Amino acid sequence: MSTVETAITLAPKQYKSDVKPVWCPGCGHFAVLNAMTKAFSALGLPPEQVAVVSGIGCSSRVPAYTSVYGFHGLHGRALAVGTGLKVARPDLTVVVAGGDGDGFSIGGNHFLHACRRNLDMTYVVMDNEVYGMTKGQASPTTAADWSASKLTPGGPGMRPFQPASIAVAAGATFVARCFSGQPNEIARVLVEAVRHPGFSFVQALSPCPTFCPEQKEWKHVVRPFDAEPTDDPAEASRRLQADDGMSTGIVLAARRPSWAPSSGGASASATTIEAIEAEIEA
Amino acid sequence: MSTVETAITLAPKQYKSDVKPVWCPGCGHFAVLNAMTKAFSALGLPPEQVAVVSGIGCSSRVPAYTSVYGFHGLHGRALAVGTGLKVARPDLTVVVAGGDGDGFSIGGNHFLHACRRNLDMTYVVMDNEVYGMTKGQASPTTAADWSASKLTPGGPGMRPFQPASIAVAAGATFVARCFSGQPNEIARVLVEAVRHPGFSFVQALSPCPTFCPEQKEWKHVVRPFDAEPTDDPAEASRRLQADDGMSTGIVLAARRPSWAPSSGGASASATTIEAIEAEIEA
Amino acid sequence: MRSTLSIALTGSGGAGVVTAGRVLLDAATRAGWYGLLRRSSGPQIRGGESAALLRLGAHPVDCLDDHFDVLVALDWGNIERFADEIPLVATSLVLSDPSAGAVPAAIAAKGAQHVALPLRELATAAERAPENMVAAGALCAALGVDAEHVEACIEALLGRKGGDALTAAVRGARAGAAGVPAACADLALPAMATRPAHRWALSGNEAAGLGALRGGVRFVAAYPITPASELLEWLAPRLTGLGGALVQAEDELASINMCLGASYGGVPSLTATSGPGLALMTEGLGLAVAGEIPVVVVDVMRGGPSTGIPTKSEQTDLDIALNGLHGDAPHLVLAPVSVADCAFTTQWAVHLAETLQAPAIVLSDQALGQTRVVTERPADVAFLTRRRVASPDQAEYRRYAAGGDGIAAMAVPGTPGTTYTAEGLEHDERGTPSSSSGHHARQLARRTDKLDRHDYGPWATLVEGDGDTAIVTWGSTCGAVREAAARERARGRAVRVVAPRLLAPARHGEVDGASALERALDGVERVLVVEQSHSRQFHRYLRAWHDLPRQVRCLARPGPLPIAPEEVRAALGDWSQR
Amino acid sequence: MRSTLSIALTGSGGAGVVTAGRVLLDAATRAGWYGLLRRSSGPQIRGGESAALLRLGAHPVDCLDDHFDVLVALDWGNIERFADEIPLVATSLVLSDPSAGAVPAAIAAKGAQHVALPLRELATAAERAPENMVAAGALCAALGVDAEHVEACIEALLGRKGGDALTAAVRGARAGAAGVPAACADLALPAMATRPAHRWALSGNEAAGLGALRGGVRFVAAYPITPASELLEWLAPRLTGLGGALVQAEDELASINMCLGASYGGVPSLTATSGPGLALMTEGLGLAVAGEIPVVVVDVMRGGPSTGIPTKSEQTDLDIALNGLHGDAPHLVLAPVSVADCAFTTQWAVHLAETLQAPAIVLSDQALGQTRVVTERPADVAFLTRRRVASPDQAEYRRYAAGGDGIAAMAVPGTPGTTYTAEGLEHDERGTPSSSSGHHARQLARRTDKLDRHDYGPWATLVEGDGDTAIVTWGSTCGAVREAAARERARGRAVRVVAPRLLAPARHGEVDGASALERALDGVERVLVVEQSHSRQFHRYLRAWHDLPRQVRCLARPGPLPIAPEEVRAALGDWSQR
Amino acid sequence: MSDNDPGRSLPAFLAHAVALERESAERYRELADVMSVHHNPGAAALFARLAELGELHAGQVEARARGLTLPSIPPWLYQWPAAEAPETGPHEETHYLMTRLEVLRYALANEQRGLDFYAGLARGASEAEVRTLAAEFEREETHHVEVLRAWIDRALTDGGDGPTPEDPDPPNLPE
Ligand SMILES: Cc1ncc(C[n+]2csc(CCOP(=O)(O)OP(=O)(O)O)c2C)c(N)n1
Ligand SMILES: Cc1ncc(C[n+]2csc(CCOP(=O)(O)OP(=O)(O)O)c2C)c(N)n1
Ligand code: SF4
Ligand code: SF4
Ligand SMILES: [Mg+2]
Ligand SMILES: [Mg+2]
């Protein structure tokens, strides 16, 4: 990110493609996209070594807007795609991105199991507490009394999903929250997240002015966590439970071995097809 | 359980059907079945007012072994079926039952959302840390180094899923753990769970001697939680995180409104089909 | 004088195209005409280019016409995107404001007449009235709609926005009416008796919702997806009003299984989705087959495969609806034959699912679901049979034992003496799991036969006209096909239209080995199959299940452009000369 | 002397039926015979009743025979469950220990000869040797297998259990051999040259696993399900050995999407499942179609619908495999024609998926997957084409643009200058989402044509014999059909057997408008369709996609009982007389 | 919960005695069923016999309670020395290949726990009536124990069933 570009270091905008986002002007997702490109630049990653994988939703449109390898998959299945990719190609930097509906509603199971599996990849959820793409229905993170959706006229009527707490309980080793109003801070967190050896989860609060104009207020409410990141899940969980969901920063950065196909030391006798065939000989 | 049976009180065995379980002798699931019938009896529930809903697995065979209404559904979808049933028929006592594979692997998403929705029903998971029905593969709760399954020859290699912690993080209002070696205690917990006005989750440690003979040791390891149930999720979560997964008893019993279709006060103008049709008149 | 008039309004974000189109439709309705309004838009959530595609007429209209008589461009933003969707001919008028720039090549190439409509000037003169209302006012005036109707509609639509917006809109409409270009002189539609009773205005999605309620649905669980969400949004408050419930589920796996739970509990249940969601529901539907649990899924189809083209119509979920369940899983598949028929077909689907204790899939599509029509009040048939319920206190209740019609009595939880376990494993008559070949064969046969042998009455197949040439079609393409046939008839050529409303069980209504569809084709020598699919899904369905006459042609074309009446006539080709 | 011999061993929990069957098969193999072993069991996890169903022969055998020559009952526990599965005739021998009780009615009714085999006595005399080994020893001796072979097999199978168990087993086998009842005198099979080279013993599941590895699969993600789990369990350690990976996923939605991620990453990927799991994968398969991502799914079919009959075979996932994807979603569907062919067909499926950048479903079933055969080493074809990979550093890489064969070059992440986004929305050639009718039509056509026009070589359709009567079948029923045809030919009647190994694209290999299958039926006047399904899924597939001769009969019967050669001959009926 | 203390009131004691016998009989019946499902006819027959005897004893104890109003005690409030009623055999000690000798030893352990339970009350109950009746039940249980010992001896002398057999077959995959 120096002013003089070297051959290896690309400027953030070189991580953007020439596809113009269809996002509404004012959408928080722009800031997350920008932060992502800044983080890739700061990390000095060659674009071809990075893959951004997503599901379906406004936020999930992000891969096409980057100049790295992209995968715009199915609603809710981004983490599964990312998992397969990372296991098959551990050399790549895999960033999975999407929305709160994609990740916590239909994709909730993969979220749980990705946290547990602790593969070395990063998951960024642009949380606007709404289904933007399908015209403003309540998502798992929507407030119980948000009554703007015709589908839930009286509001969803239940406690919002708490992504960071659940990530910790499910075994994520890196958990952070940030806000699209602070893109450079997102970039910083993303750099840490990508560097973290294991599964890193970043909840990026990212307003949807179209369906949730009230989220304009967020900028007045967010504030940094009042403590440094901990490496103790129990402590992280305590902090998160005491929080109103609007504190930002890295909460947890713990070490735990990442899952690998051969973990536990499988005793693979045959290492060639011929050897395997020999076992079948009658 | 008085010697003189009254018309209303049925003995536990009257909640059993005449279908003989196919479970292996020694399976922990017998004790959970027995505890369930004891709980129904202690609660004085008429069998026709109770529905037991399950998925697929050895544990999920339980509905047919009871004399109440039963639903043996799809692998992983029991909670969704239970949710629909309870919303449509709030007058019934709905108990959802199944295994750790059914509930935490394929069914993980419904588990998260059922905890959050907090409908007034009970979910019992017979946790044997294995897929019994499909011949002993690792489940989410299997220890990282359990190498008895050919599918994961070196062991699953990841941190086991922590059902109770996740339930708390996801918003369950009643969380308990018990052990099939103590069926009367399970019955007690189930009675509390059914009485709890909201979603109650009971993790019943239930050994699978066929695929996990080592679980015979569990009886020497389980012990009651060293504190009374709390009504504070943060405290429950702290206790669970400090625990090795082998303490039993009710951990959390909190109050939070149960979801109801009209919660939040939907403004339903039309209350007859005719009135609705009148709106359509051109 | 023309009997229908087709108008396209286009413009980019904020131009108010959709509202103008709605004013036009509503005003024409008050003037006694029928009509339909279809919307097309770009991928942006807000502010994208959009088009309101209208057709108004002296009689009910079920499809867009081959071309538009008038295109009113509020501006030219991204008009290329709609060039395909708005066919114009030499007699068509293109109305636009010269100050918005010259007519772009994509439109100019169509060779229509260009007419200046100085929207900006008129609007500015009317104290900055909204241009879209100027356009609406001008069009209404050209059509011959009384100003009184126009203003009443504007008030009904914009009333809640309050005074200023409303009066500005009315000013705009008046300014437009005053400024109708001379070239628009012969756009007038025949005068009608105004405001007839029993005329309804609704979209196919709303109609399907109404059908569900009429059919007795009181539980819905669903997950939002385009273009089905509006059906659900329409239902949500109304279900609550009727004492039912709608659950927004965490995903489609949950929605279908929640429906099964509620239906098991005795409450008729429904979910709505589109292709990707249906794909997630097939396992649940299989359980509904095996466990004999009534449930209805309305699939509002969109362009496929995969995420495909979510906002556009196609008839390509036929394959998955018919054959997407694993195992031998007989179930019901129905398709409405018009926008308004979404009400009847959905109501009937609920009735059949409940009566036959089987899942029913209703194949609507974006073109039906999101098109708003003004039409006669759709039929409300009072079906007599309902779910067969077990009587209490039976000595040996056998859930899966049935008499001659193959339909077993289903106990409702809460009933004493009939407890049982609903079962997705193969089972004996009591429901106890069994892998015996005898139990399997008997239950398979019963589950098939109860559907095949049911008497579906006159609704199963729509048959219009006669003659030895037939056009066989289904779903949303029925509109264009019926219109094409009408045009043929007007030219003195007999053409039969055959459209199954009940697609599965395909071999229902057999008489002497001939299926209902085969009988509808009695005496037919030539069949033109019309469908909106690339892989000829409907044609393959017909071949697989029915014996067709030897001469078969197929007009199968994918979405998103609708199939037009003249396209159908063209496909008849030399058959049309006979 | 008979050329094949069929033996059923039955017994309840702990009787060791399966192990005895395995000893018999292995010993017969060492003696130079071919054979197969199928297992059938009750619903208990352990200790349930089970049956080992064997057929041994002087030539390879691909199916069970019409009846069994010998039934050895180690005990009579729950034998009724198997009564259907073990047809006996008057010449069959029923061997059982009189001390286990009289032959139960279900067996006695079959009219076979009862022979006393005093298992308990022999076992006790042999110092409490295991009875199952006594039975195995007796049978091997009756067949004429050298004791040396028998003991070598026992050692190979039980060696790891250690000394005592092993010596007891050997004692048992010897005692059995010494006690062969006189009635067993003519069970001997023709003597063979022993231990021939290149003979393999494997189950269909293992064969499919081997085919996957041979095809280059190095990534597998899957969720356990009967009867596919063994395929995965076989693969897990071997994949690791080859430097690949197997991920046990949280569910089938995850497994298919993990495979897509790995395949997108350039690594050939596969998953295996059964009906319920396949139902959960169709959305992912649709993405593989739209995004053109190679992937293979082996569906080991079991009885349906829903959870159905998990342990038994049926061919009823054909519908969902062919038509279970929403939208127009052309893909590959293949079916092995024998147990051993699971290797070739799976390998070929990987090759085709990779070459054509499309998902391939391999339809195996429980009868193929869980049957162990002794056979010739299956072919290992070295296919030349592989995934077409984009070359680095392109000025304007267009992922979805292709030349004449319709196959675009797919960039592997890590390659500089070819970054792109794999897309499930409809898109232009670059992959940018588009709802244009032109892009849609072109991509749909290309995705269809690349499959239809590919040259599949000689493997697509198995054709055996000639004549104007054909039996058309697929998958696991090929064994019985080929045997029935062979019997017809032995009687001097020409019968053609036609079995598509490649079911979709159905219209591949067209010459002058005739599909490969239609050409295989050239000159055929009568077709008997044979399949194991109640709803005639294969028959409907044939009707939908191909023009059949006018005379068609159909032998369609659901599982779980296998279709036997004589059942096929009976279905030929009067056609067999010509 | 002194109301439920079997040592402090005769009705509470009898409630315990009834539950002890009933639950034991039900468990034996359950085991007889599961053994028959798993084709262990020998074990199934023995468990069925034990269930019959258990039902008989339960009937006898119930007869002793006739005329009294017993407290209605929820399962978890019985004051058992361990998790379950003393004569209720634990599931985890059963397996499908159980020999008859193993079944008898299993039953013996159950009866022995019953005996110990009554013996404890015969000495330690605060209520005299309870002590008397407990002593009587103790004698009854002693008899059961002796009978079982005799059965075991007989089984041993006729060779028993030999060592616990091993299932040579792999398990099954039902779903
Ligand atoms: C299987 C399936 N179900 C439903 C949909 C419809 N759908 C598309 S995006 C979306 C929600 C997106 O919300 P979120 O992930 O929060 O993203 P946002 O648009 O808010 O950024 C839904 C429900 C779909 N595409 N596929
Ligand atoms: C969609 C689907 N996938 C997989 C299966 C196979 N299956 C049946 S039961 C089971 C696991 C059961 O494990 P668990 O829930 O822990 O129950 P247990 O048998 O251990 O009591 C699996 C994977 C299935 N029936 N359906
Ligand atoms: S709808 Fe909301 S989330 Fe979607 S692009 Fe617009 S502002 Fe962003
Ligand atoms: S396999 Fe395990 S879980 Fe299943 S019945 Fe047997 S012991 Fe129980
Ligand atoms: Mg969102
Ligand atoms: Mg389990």
Side-chain angles (χ1 to χ4, degrees), chain D residues 2 6 65-71 83 86-94 107-114 566:
Chain D
R2 38 166 77 79
S6 294
D65 207 346
D66 304 291
H67 62 262
F68 288 86
D69 302 301
V70 187
L71 161 63
I86 305 174
L88 299 173
V89 293
T91 54
S92 307
L93 304 182
V94 175
I107 297 298
K110 298 176 181 244
Q113 301 174 45
H114 300 175
E566 281 308 299

Side-chain angles (χ1 to χ4, degrees), chain C residues 453-542:
Chain C
R453 298 205 192 129
H454 183 72
D455 178 1
Y456 294 92
W459 302 288
T461 316
L462 174 110
V463 184
E464 272 177 10
D466 44 29
D468 55 9
T469 300
I471 314 181
V472 183
T473 191
W474 73 285
S476 67
T477 44
C478 286
V481 165
R482 290 161 84 179
E483 184 150 341
R487 291 184 192 173
E488 287 288 295
R489 283 182 215 117
R491 285 168 175 77
R493 297 172 197 129
V495 172
R496 202 181 298 185
V497 172
V498 175
R501 201 185 255 110
L502 182 71
L503 289 149
R507 303 283 321 167
H508 70 85
E510 272 193 20
V511 176
D512 297 333
S515 67
L517 190 110
E518 285 159 2
R519 286 184 290 115
L521 291 174
D522 221 20
V524 167
E525 282 168 24
R526 288 165 298 279
V527 163
L528 171 66
V529 177
V530 177
E531 61 176 310
Q532 191 161 33
S533 130
H534 178 262
S535 70
R536 304 184 166 216
Q537 303 191 1
F538 183 57
H539 183 208
R540 275 188 279 114
Y541 156 79
L542 292 172

Side-chain angles (χ1 to χ4, degrees), chain D residues 331-333 448 451-453 456 502-508 541:
Chain D
H331 60 279
L332 298 150
V333 180
T448 307
L451 299 190
D452 281 355
R453 299 205 192 128
Y456 293 93
L502 182 70
L503 290 148
R507 302 282 322 167
H508 70 86
Y541 156 80

Side-chain angles (χ1 to χ4, degrees), chain B residues 12-51:
Chain B
K13 77 165 180 216
Q14 288 174 282
Y15 292 89
K16 280 202 195 166
S17 77
D18 57 2
V19 178
K20 292 181 193 167
V22 294
W23 292 326
C24 311
C27 179
H29 302 348
F30 282 103
V32 181
L33 168 63
N34 287 334
M36 223 179 240
T37 61
K38 285 185 177 179
F40 294 156
S41 166
L43 286 160
L45 291 167
E48 67 272 12
Q49 294 298 333
V50 182

Side-chain angles (χ1 to χ4, degrees), chain D residues 461-473:
Chain D
T461 317
L462 174 110
V463 185
E464 272 178 11
D466 44 30
D468 56 7
T469 300
I471 314 181
V472 183
T473 191

